[in-house]
Structures are given as C-alpha cells and as structure tokens.
Amino acid sequence: MVNPINGLPQIAVRDNSGPSASEVHSKFGDSLKNAIDGVNNAQVESNEMTKALARGEVDDLHNVMITSQKASIMMSTATEVQSKVIEAYKEVMRMQV
C-alpha cells in the first residue's frame, strides 16, 4: 500500500498478539506425546493381533500383516524423526553466538 501523502510504501505494523512461548511449548509437548502414544498404540495393536492369530482366534492373516506393517512403518518414521531432531540440535549447538 502506498502512502498518498509522500508516495512511499507504508510499513505494516506486526501484531504480537500470537500465542506465548509457554503455550507453544505446551502445544508442542502435547503433539509429541500424541505422536508417541500413536506409535505405542500401533505396536500394542500389532502384538495383540499377532497373539490372536497364534491362538487361532483370528483367521484373517491379511489384516494381521497390514497391522504389523503399519506398526513397523510408524516405528521407523519415529526413529527417523528422532535422528533428524538430534542432528538439528547438534547443529544448533555448533553455532557460534
């Protein structure tokens, strides 16, 4: 937007009414906990389905394998994210202030 008085562009004033640092910290912690709980739930479900198959309570091997693969992929993704976070932390620690 151009200022009509002197033809210079107007500078927008930034609104600092966003979430506080503690709110962001809390939301991040909650998101991380939910993600870890999701991985754990997938692992538990996979174990239960495998045990049920071994006991003969489940006849559908297809669903057992899908559940197992889903849990495996979720665990691999979680470990990759963990590695990237550690790598980023180390990079930040190497920065000179």
Side-chain angles (χ1 to χ4, degrees), residues 37-59:
D37 287 343
V39 172
N40 184 47
N41 291 339
Q43 291 289 327
V44 168
E45 182 182 1
S46 173
N47 288 340
E48 291 300 319
M49 292 280 287
T50 303
K51 287 177 186 177
L53 179 69
R55 289 189 300 258
E57 297 171 357
V58 175
D59 294 333

Side-chain angles (χ1 to χ4, degrees), residues 6-81:
N6 58 13
L8 296 176
Q10 289 181 336
I11 298 174
V13 178
R14 204 169 134 165
D15 184 18
N16 289 332
S17 64
S20 68
S22 62
E23 291 172 342
V24 171
H25 185 272
S26 175
K27 286 181 183 180
F28 177 75
D30 291 342
S31 296
L32 188 60
K33 184 180 182 324
N34 289 339
I36 291 171
D37 287 343
V39 172
N40 184 47
N41 291 339
Q43 291 289 327
V44 168
E45 182 182 1
S46 173
N47 288 340
E48 291 300 319
M49 292 280 287
T50 303
K51 287 177 186 177
L53 179 69
R55 289 189 300 258
E57 297 171 357
V58 175
D59 294 333
D60 192 7
L61 177 62
H62 188 259
N63 281 337
V64 174
M65 292 304 297
I66 289 173
T67 305
S68 175
Q69 283 299 312
K70 186 191 298 185
S72 175
I73 290 169
M74 287 178 78
M75 181 60 84
S76 340
T77 303
T79 56
E80 285 296 319
V81 168

